[in-house]
PDB file of all heavy atoms in Angstrom:
ATOM      1  N   GLN A 475      14.060  -5.710  -4.839  1.00 68.00           N
ATOM      2  CA  GLN A 475      14.541  -4.744  -3.787  1.00 68.00           C
ATOM      3  C   GLN A 475      13.632  -3.458  -3.994  1.00 68.00           C
ATOM      4  O   GLN A 475      13.431  -3.071  -5.174  1.00 68.00           O
ATOM      5  CB  GLN A 475      15.968  -4.513  -4.054  1.00 68.00           C
ATOM      6  CG  GLN A 475      16.448  -3.213  -3.500  1.00 68.00           C
ATOM      7  CD  GLN A 475      17.905  -3.020  -3.559  1.00 68.00           C
ATOM      8  OE1 GLN A 475      18.636  -3.872  -3.986  1.00 68.00           O
ATOM      9  NE2 GLN A 475      18.357  -1.842  -3.147  1.00 68.00           N
ATOM     10  N   THR A 476      13.325  -2.839  -2.916  1.00 73.00           N
ATOM     11  CA  THR A 476      12.577  -1.680  -3.070  1.00 73.00           C
ATOM     12  C   THR A 476      13.508  -0.540  -3.441  1.00 73.00           C
ATOM     13  O   THR A 476      14.409  -0.272  -2.845  1.00 73.00           O
ATOM     14  CB  THR A 476      12.038  -1.410  -1.566  1.00 73.00           C
ATOM     15  OG1 THR A 476      11.311  -2.470  -1.225  1.00 73.00           O
ATOM     16  CG2 THR A 476      11.100  -0.099  -1.691  1.00 73.00           C
ATOM     17  N   LEU A 477      13.028   0.149  -4.626  1.00 78.00           N
ATOM     18  CA  LEU A 477      13.805   1.283  -4.988  1.00 78.00           C
ATOM     19  C   LEU A 477      13.163   2.554  -4.456  1.00 78.00           C
ATOM     20  O   LEU A 477      13.739   3.565  -4.217  1.00 78.00           O
ATOM     21  CB  LEU A 477      13.957   1.384  -6.507  1.00 78.00           C
ATOM     22  CG  LEU A 477      14.577   0.214  -7.161  1.00 78.00           C
ATOM     23  CD1 LEU A 477      14.679   0.323  -8.669  1.00 78.00           C
ATOM     24  CD2 LEU A 477      15.907  -0.085  -6.612  1.00 78.00           C
ATOM     25  N   ALA A 478      11.814   2.472  -4.307  1.00 84.00           N
ATOM     26  CA  ALA A 478      11.064   3.655  -3.762  1.00 84.00           C
ATOM     27  C   ALA A 478       9.834   3.147  -3.226  1.00 84.00           C
ATOM     28  O   ALA A 478       9.233   2.220  -3.946  1.00 84.00           O
ATOM     29  CB  ALA A 478      10.914   4.724  -4.842  1.00 84.00           C
ATOM     30  N   THR A 479       9.327   3.599  -2.056  1.00 83.00           N
ATOM     31  CA  THR A 479       8.081   3.120  -1.623  1.00 83.00           C
ATOM     32  C   THR A 479       7.398   4.207  -0.767  1.00 83.00           C
ATOM     33  O   THR A 479       8.013   4.898  -0.145  1.00 83.00           O
ATOM     34  CB  THR A 479       8.371   1.855  -0.855  1.00 83.00           C
ATOM     35  OG1 THR A 479       7.049   1.477  -0.279  1.00 83.00           O
ATOM     36  CG2 THR A 479       9.246   2.103   0.220  1.00 83.00           C
ATOM     37  N   ILE A 480       6.045   4.134  -0.763  1.00 86.00           N
ATOM     38  CA  ILE A 480       5.272   4.987   0.102  1.00 86.00           C
ATOM     39  C   ILE A 480       3.897   4.323   0.330  1.00 86.00           C
ATOM     40  O   ILE A 480       3.482   3.620  -0.490  1.00 86.00           O
ATOM     41  CB  ILE A 480       5.060   6.347  -0.561  1.00 86.00           C
ATOM     42  CG1 ILE A 480       4.536   7.389   0.500  1.00 86.00           C
ATOM     43  CG2 ILE A 480       4.204   6.351  -1.763  1.00 86.00           C
ATOM     44  CD1 ILE A 480       4.578   8.836  -0.037  1.00 86.00           C
ATOM     45  N   THR A 481       3.508   4.447   1.358  1.00 83.00           N
ATOM     46  CA  THR A 481       2.072   3.967   1.709  1.00 83.00           C
ATOM     47  C   THR A 481       1.016   4.935   1.132  1.00 83.00           C
ATOM     48  O   THR A 481       1.320   6.188   1.077  1.00 83.00           O
ATOM     49  CB  THR A 481       1.693   3.737   3.137  1.00 83.00           C
ATOM     50  OG1 THR A 481       1.963   4.973   3.867  1.00 83.00           O
ATOM     51  CG2 THR A 481       2.588   2.667   3.772  1.00 83.00           C
ATOM     52  N   ILE A 482      -0.090   4.477   0.742  1.00 87.00           N
ATOM     53  CA  ILE A 482      -1.176   5.363   0.247  1.00 87.00           C
ATOM     54  C   ILE A 482      -1.402   6.410   1.299  1.00 87.00           C
ATOM     55  O   ILE A 482      -1.659   7.621   1.042  1.00 87.00           O
ATOM     56  CB  ILE A 482      -2.345   4.591  -0.046  1.00 87.00           C
ATOM     57  CG1 ILE A 482      -2.019   3.423  -0.984  1.00 87.00           C
ATOM     58  CG2 ILE A 482      -3.495   5.393  -0.609  1.00 87.00           C
ATOM     59  CD1 ILE A 482      -2.669   3.405  -2.336  1.00 87.00           C
ATOM     60  N   GLN A 483      -1.422   5.972   2.555  1.00 86.00           N
ATOM     61  CA  GLN A 483      -1.703   6.945   3.635  1.00 86.00           C
ATOM     62  C   GLN A 483      -0.798   8.175   3.633  1.00 86.00           C
ATOM     63  O   GLN A 483      -1.154   9.305   3.641  1.00 86.00           O
ATOM     64  CB  GLN A 483      -1.537   6.336   5.064  1.00 86.00           C
ATOM     65  CG  GLN A 483      -2.623   5.357   5.398  1.00 86.00           C
ATOM     66  CD  GLN A 483      -2.194   3.940   5.306  1.00 86.00           C
ATOM     67  OE1 GLN A 483      -1.465   3.640   4.275  1.00 86.00           O
ATOM     68  NE2 GLN A 483      -2.829   2.994   5.955  1.00 86.00           N
ATOM     69  N   ASN A 484       0.539   7.793   3.534  1.00 88.00           N
ATOM     70  CA  ASN A 484       1.511   8.918   3.581  1.00 88.00           C
ATOM     71  C   ASN A 484       1.498   9.701   2.276  1.00 88.00           C
ATOM     72  O   ASN A 484       1.817  10.873   2.255  1.00 88.00           O
ATOM     73  CB  ASN A 484       2.815   8.321   3.862  1.00 88.00           C
ATOM     74  CG  ASN A 484       3.055   8.161   5.348  1.00 88.00           C
ATOM     75  OD1 ASN A 484       2.551   9.006   6.125  1.00 88.00           O
ATOM     76  ND2 ASN A 484       3.695   7.040   5.803  1.00 88.00           N
ATOM     77  N   TYR A 485       1.132   9.011   1.139  1.00 92.00           N
ATOM     78  CA  TYR A 485       1.014   9.873  -0.078  1.00 92.00           C
ATOM     79  C   TYR A 485      -0.074  10.971   0.148  1.00 92.00           C
ATOM     80  O   TYR A 485       0.215  12.079  -0.087  1.00 92.00           O
ATOM     81  CB  TYR A 485       0.750   9.076  -1.306  1.00 92.00           C
ATOM     82  CG  TYR A 485       0.522   9.979  -2.540  1.00 92.00           C
ATOM     83  CD1 TYR A 485       1.605  10.666  -2.967  1.00 92.00           C
ATOM     84  CD2 TYR A 485      -0.785  10.189  -3.054  1.00 92.00           C
ATOM     85  CE1 TYR A 485       1.390  11.606  -4.027  1.00 92.00           C
ATOM     86  CE2 TYR A 485      -0.969  11.097  -3.961  1.00 92.00           C
ATOM     87  CZ  TYR A 485       0.162  11.812  -4.512  1.00 92.00           C
ATOM     88  OH  TYR A 485      -0.096  12.770  -5.461  1.00 92.00           O
ATOM     89  N   PHE A 486      -1.180  10.530   0.689  1.00 94.00           N
ATOM     90  CA  PHE A 486      -2.244  11.497   0.788  1.00 94.00           C
ATOM     91  C   PHE A 486      -2.034  12.478   1.878  1.00 94.00           C
ATOM     92  O   PHE A 486      -2.683  13.581   1.846  1.00 94.00           O
ATOM     93  CB  PHE A 486      -3.654  10.836   0.841  1.00 94.00           C
ATOM     94  CG  PHE A 486      -4.135  10.303  -0.511  1.00 94.00           C
ATOM     95  CD1 PHE A 486      -4.151   8.935  -0.764  1.00 94.00           C
ATOM     96  CD2 PHE A 486      -4.368  11.224  -1.460  1.00 94.00           C
ATOM     97  CE1 PHE A 486      -4.459   8.552  -2.030  1.00 94.00           C
ATOM     98  CE2 PHE A 486      -4.732  10.791  -2.812  1.00 94.00           C
ATOM     99  CZ  PHE A 486      -4.828   9.423  -2.987  1.00 94.00           C
ATOM    100  N   ARG A 487      -1.308  12.105   2.796  1.00 90.00           N
ATOM    101  CA  ARG A 487      -0.941  13.100   3.820  1.00 90.00           C
ATOM    102  C   ARG A 487      -0.075  14.279   3.309  1.00 90.00           C
ATOM    103  O   ARG A 487       0.165  15.288   4.022  1.00 90.00           O
ATOM    104  CB  ARG A 487      -0.180  12.434   5.003  1.00 90.00           C
ATOM    105  CG  ARG A 487      -1.007  11.687   6.001  1.00 90.00           C
ATOM    106  CD  ARG A 487      -0.094  10.897   6.775  1.00 90.00           C
ATOM    107  NE  ARG A 487      -0.696  10.295   7.959  1.00 90.00           N
ATOM    108  CZ  ARG A 487      -0.051   9.680   8.890  1.00 90.00           C
ATOM    109  NH1 ARG A 487       1.168   9.575   8.740  1.00 90.00           N
ATOM    110  NH2 ARG A 487      -0.646   9.107   9.878  1.00 90.00           N
ATOM    111  N   LEU A 488       0.488  14.138   2.109  1.00 93.00           N
ATOM    112  CA  LEU A 488       1.259  15.269   1.543  1.00 93.00           C
ATOM    113  C   LEU A 488       0.430  16.418   1.122  1.00 93.00           C
ATOM    114  O   LEU A 488       0.760  17.507   0.993  1.00 93.00           O
ATOM    115  CB  LEU A 488       1.881  14.693   0.265  1.00 93.00           C
ATOM    116  CG  LEU A 488       3.008  13.762   0.368  1.00 93.00           C
ATOM    117  CD1 LEU A 488       3.385  13.253  -1.088  1.00 93.00           C
ATOM    118  CD2 LEU A 488       4.284  14.340   0.929  1.00 93.00           C
TER     119      LEU A 488
END
Side-chain angles (χ1 to χ4, degrees):
Q475 157 173 0
T476 306
L477 301 183
T479 175
I480 192 167
T481 53
I482 306 244
Q483 287 98 329
N484 277 320
Y485 174 70
F486 282 111
R487 282 168 166 188
L488 291 168

